[in-house]
Amino acid sequence: MDKKALSFLCVGVILGALVSAGVFSFALNRSATGSVSASERRVLKLGHVLESSHPVHVAMEHLATRLSEISGGAMEIEIFPNGQLGSEAQQIEQVQNGGLDMVKTSTAALEQFVPQLAVFGLPYLFRDNAHFWTVLNGPIGRQLLAAGESRGMHGLCYYDSGSRSFYTSGDPIRGPADVRGKKIRVVQSPMAMDMISNFGGAPTPIPWGEVYTALQQGMVDGAENNPPSFLSSRQYEVAKHYTLDEHTSVPDMVIMSASSWASLTSQQRLWLDQAAEESVVFQRRLWEERTAAALEELQQNGVTVLRPDKAAFMAAAAPLYEAIAGTPVGELADRIREAR
């Protein structure tokens, strides 16, 4: 081979190496920037019944953002708020049968699917917010997250849903005796219905999206929920008395279809778990801020906020604990109360 041919050969080898290096570098950069094709991207659908202004919805947006960032665009979450995919019970069923990847739901709505979760419906179960999170972040909380696995549901994380209190369109509730004879909207939860019945009221299960009209038309006399939900739903327009008895602390839970979870790779599960954990920290901080702001805004909109003697409500709730003594839920309640 002459010198000229050798020279062309060397140039060709060098150019080939440079092109290969460029392609390799491009592939690395593509991976690093998360520029994945549509076929490579995993999109999870997440439904819930809350308004898009609700702080829990904002937390789910944070979850979706962080999952996209952590995975470099390889995983996305598409959120469907406002009950677009049905009621909580309907969305839970969709998750069970694999028709929906994820749902954010109150644990009260999960009772009919996972009976152990009825424990959260017991009035005054937790001493304070610190006790509440000690339980959720500890062995009991992890046990309850996993309790739906055999029923097709993988528990991902808890969100703070504050404390539930009564609000009415007519006479205010100043003590448990004032619940007597009133029709009170509750979620489809046996424990919630038992609590209202125990106070002498008439528990009336109604889907969340229908509560405003039910209050407006007198189908119910009142309902019970946390301040941000009372505000974002605009139910304060037709219910002007809010009684901060804070009878229950019922957390929200993000659950995933067991079949969807099983279809994820180990890396995808790690990404999703990390994003969920970060969203919980974000949501707890946001919840505290929004609760204080909601109470202030409710009063600015003409709502009378009452702060009753909780001891009377606690005493009225005692028969509920007596009724479940020795049952699995009763024993779980004992463990929670003893948790430190």
Side-chain angles (χ1 to χ4, degrees):
M1 182 181 293
D2 60 25
K3 291 183 179 181
K4 187 174 181 179
L6 181 61
S7 176
F8 276 118
L9 177 62
C10 290
V11 169
V13 171
I14 292 170
L15 286 173
L18 288 172
V19 169
S20 297
V23 170
F24 181 65
S25 176
F26 173 77
L28 285 177
N29 289 334
R30 177 177 176 275
S31 176
T33 57
S35 299
V36 296
S37 68
S39 61
E40 295 171 318
R41 184 179 297 113
R42 179 65 187 272
V43 179
L44 302 172
K45 292 184 177 180
L46 166 60
H48 68 89
V49 300
L50 298 174
E51 303 79 14
S52 56
S53 61
H54 197 283
V56 173
H57 175 81
V58 176
M60 284 181 276
E61 289 182 324
H62 185 79
L63 166 64
T65 298
R66 288 299 296 134
L67 180 60
S68 179
E69 292 172 347
I70 293 167
S71 68
M75 293 186 75
E76 304 280 350
I77 294 177
E78 187 176 1
I79 305 173
F80 298 85
N82 294 305
Q84 293 178 43
L85 304 181
S87 67
E88 281 190 310
Q90 289 170 334
Q91 291 186 51
I92 293 168
E93 290 172 352
Q94 291 173 51
V95 163
Q96 281 188 302
N97 62 34
L100 178 63
D101 295 304
M102 304 167 71
V103 63
K104 191 294 304 173
T105 176
S106 167
T107 50
L110 278 168
E111 273 183 44
Q112 56 188 307
F113 303 91
V114 185
Q116 301 97 305
L117 295 176
V119 72
F120 289 123
L122 285 166
Y124 306 105
L125 177 65
F126 299 99
R127 295 185 295 276
D128 49 34
N129 198 51
H131 178 216
F132 175 77
W133 281 105
T134 294
V135 171
L136 294 193
N137 290 331
I140 296 173
R142 291 192 292 272
Q143 171 193 329
L144 293 176
L145 269 182
E149 293 283 355
S150 63
R151 297 170 177 85
M153 297 176 288
H154 174 80
L156 197 63
C157 65
Y158 295 103
Y159 284 151
D160 198 343
S161 191
S163 297
R164 301 176 75 91
S165 295
F166 292 113
Y167 47 92
T168 54
S169 55
D171 296 333
I173 293 173
R174 301 181 186 279
D178 294 325
V179 179
R180 188 170 301 280
K182 284 185 170 62
K183 292 178 291 183
I184 303 295
R185 181 270 173 180
V186 293
V187 295
Q188 188 69 45
S189 153
M191 188 64 78
M193 290 188 281
D194 286 347
M195 179 188 70
I196 300 302
S197 297
N198 186 72
F199 289 165
T204 309
I206 294 176
W208 178 242
E210 300 173 17
V211 179
Y212 186 105
T213 302
L215 286 163
Q216 187 179 45
Q217 297 181 353
M219 295 170 58
V220 293
D221 301 302
E224 44 92 54
N225 218 314
N226 55 64
S229 295
F230 185 29
L231 177 68
S232 66
S233 65
R234 304 188 71 85
Q235 291 170 23
Y236 65 85
E237 295 176 346
V238 289
K240 292 297 186 181
H241 300 289
Y242 193 32
T243 303
L244 285 180
D245 63 298
E246 300 178 318
H247 45 262
T248 52
S249 296
V250 180
D252 280 346
M253 188 184 286
V254 178
I255 59 173
M256 188 169 184
S257 167
S259 59
S260 294
W261 177 257
S263 71
L264 299 180
T265 66
S266 57
Q267 179 61 72
Q268 288 173 326
R269 292 179 184 180
L270 288 173
W271 285 334
L272 183 54
D273 279 337
Q274 181 182 340
E277 289 174 10
E278 291 184 17
S279 75
V280 170
V281 175
F282 172 86
Q283 192 268 341
R284 286 180 63 182
R285 182 174 62 252
L286 180 64
W287 185 265
E288 185 176 351
E289 295 169 357
R290 290 288 187 91
T291 298
L295 284 171
E296 184 176 344
E297 189 171 343
L298 286 167
Q299 292 175 90
Q300 291 172 353
N301 280 279
V303 174
T304 299
V305 177
L306 299 94
R307 291 173 169 80
D309 176 13
K310 293 182 183 179
F313 285 95
M314 291 179 183
L320 288 172
Y321 286 89
E322 295 169 5
I324 61 169
T327 68
V329 171
E331 292 171 357
L332 184 56
D334 290 339
R335 288 176 58 203
I336 289 174
R337 286 181 142 183
E338 294 167 1
R340 292 291 186 273

